[in-house]
Amino acid sequence: CRCQVAVVGGTCCHWTCPLSAGINRSEVSIMSREQVSITDLLLSLESSELQEVERVKTAVNQQLSTDRGGAVLSSLVEHYLDYSSSQVVLLLSSIREPHHKVLLEKLNDALNRPGNRLAGVTLLGHLIRKQPPWVHHISQSPILLSLLRCLKTDGDVVVLITGVLVLITLLPMIPQAGKQHIYDFFDVFGRLVSWSYKNPGHVAPVYLVHLHAGVYSLFHRLYGMFPCNFISYLRLHYSMEENLDTFQEVVKPMLEHVRIHPELVTGTQDYELDPSRSENEELSSDEVTPA
């Protein structure tokens, strides 16, 4: 028992212990668990006993409900960064407003720490795929800028692959961010196209294959959501002599395998960035599937 006194024959020799008062071991376990620190609870999340994991998740959720200072949320994020715990993903995906503010702050901190960046981007990806009700707040959060900065400057190919997949998933959930960040999205595309073609990091071909697949998916997403603005960007960016080889080898084949987007005929660059557009139509890349 937690009084740290020997138990003999099922009875504790310490008169203050609950066992001596006739309370069974399972009740003592529950009482003790409520008093232990969040760190101890989270370590038990990795137990191979499913019933133990469910009990711990219940206890953590109870602490989350009264977590006004964000200490429990912070501990959950740190635990994921250390252990990549799938159970933590499930707990964090149930977070509701206004607790998302602390969660996004902690994730932003992780993205700005090189040693935690990959785990932070991975956790962000897991969470947005759950489509939490607060996901639209990411458009106004510093974490979006951190993600974009990472994709425009980081040299770790695994971080780039993971980050571009997160951005692809996130874009349709935050269409209102296009007005402010559209050229950041395009700059990410241009940088990753060049990076995958020139391979400045001298990474193994298998990683380049995955990165190229991510860039191709980003191409479809941007062309599907912002065709007029995206084509204008491609025309300007790849008319520069230093980018012609990249265009011929990477971008031109992408353009050859999509249909003409109807918005290129009927739409305008301004209309694509109108916040009311997302309320009137579904933004997707369905209409630009490969020909």
Side-chain angles (χ1 to χ4, degrees):
C1 70
R2 289 191 178 272
C3 68
Q4 298 181 345
V5 180
V7 177
V8 180
T11 302
C12 180
C13 60
H14 196 288
W15 68 273
T16 60
C17 178
L19 285 175
S20 65
I23 300 175
N24 63 43
R25 290 178 182 277
S26 62
E27 291 173 330
V28 171
S29 177
I30 295 173
M31 291 171 62
S32 300
R33 188 175 294 110
E34 291 173 347
Q35 299 169 2
V36 300
S37 69
I38 183 65
T39 302
D40 293 333
L41 278 174
L42 295 181
L43 289 175
S44 299
L45 272 179
E46 312 312 317
S47 172
S48 58
E49 298 182 10
L50 295 180
Q51 290 184 338
E52 173 71 8
V53 172
E54 290 304 315
R55 283 195 294 266
V56 172
K57 286 167 67 176
T58 298
V60 173
N61 275 321
Q62 289 174 348
Q63 292 200 27
L64 279 171
S65 65
T66 58
D67 185 31
R68 295 183 179 179
V72 178
L73 260 175
S74 297
S75 296
L76 280 169
V77 174
E78 290 296 332
H79 186 79
Y80 179 87
L81 298 179
D82 290 338
Y83 298 99
S84 298
S85 172
S86 59
Q87 297 298 336
V88 166
V89 174
L90 294 175
L91 286 165
L92 290 177
S93 64
S94 66
I95 295 300
R96 295 294 181 266
E97 299 182 45
H99 298 292
H100 72 283
K101 295 179 180 179
V102 175
L103 176 56
L104 292 178
E105 287 174 4
K106 288 297 296 182
L107 285 172
N108 188 53
D109 289 342
L111 263 64
N112 286 299
R113 300 200 303 260
N116 293 127
R117 187 166 295 152
L118 177 58
V121 173
T122 302
L123 177 55
L124 177 61
H126 285 316
L127 293 176
I128 63 174
R129 288 183 184 93
K130 300 287 185 181
Q131 299 186 33
W134 45 262
V135 70
H136 61 283
H137 288 296
I138 291 178
S139 65
Q140 301 298 323
S141 169
I143 196 172
L144 178 57
L145 290 174
S146 295
L147 175 63
L148 294 171
R149 187 184 310 115
C150 163
L151 288 168
K152 288 193 281 186
T153 62
D154 203 288
D156 186 326
V157 67
V158 181
V159 170
L160 296 178
I161 293 169
T162 307
V164 73
L165 294 177
V166 171
L167 182 61
I168 292 163
T169 306
L170 183 61
L171 280 173
M173 301 179 188
I174 54 169
Q176 68 276 16
K179 190 171 184 65
Q180 182 178 359
H181 297 293
I182 189 167
Y183 291 107
D184 292 312
F185 303 152
F186 295 164
D187 286 344
V188 166
F189 174 81
R191 193 254 174 159
L192 295 183
V193 165
S194 177
W195 207 95
S196 64
Y197 175 60
K198 297 178 181 178
N199 191 13
H202 305 288
V203 301
V206 63
Y207 289 112
L208 291 180
V209 170
H210 286 286
L211 180 60
H212 183 75
V215 174
Y216 189 56
S217 295
L218 180 61
F219 167 84
H220 275 274
R221 182 67 79 210
L222 295 174
Y223 185 48
M225 292 181 66
F226 313 109
C228 296
N229 283 279
F230 190 45
I231 291 298
S232 177
Y233 162 80
L234 295 178
R235 183 181 296 114
L236 178 63
H237 186 72
Y238 292 104
S239 65
M240 301 178 189
E241 185 175 354
E242 63 268 27
N243 296 328
L244 287 178
D245 288 345
T246 304
F247 175 78
Q248 290 292 334
E249 296 296 327
V250 184
V251 180
K252 185 178 178 181
M254 294 180 182
L255 288 167
E256 290 173 344
H257 288 86
V258 292
R259 300 188 179 110
I260 294 294
H261 198 300
E263 289 293 321
L264 293 174
V265 178
T266 60
T268 66
Q269 290 179 260
D270 289 338
Y271 177 66
E272 286 178 357
L273 303 180
D274 187 340
S276 65
R277 179 191 176 203
S278 60
E279 301 174 2
N280 300 324
E281 60 185 89
E282 182 180 356
L283 297 177
S284 70
S285 57
D286 293 343
E287 64 269 51
V288 292
T289 49

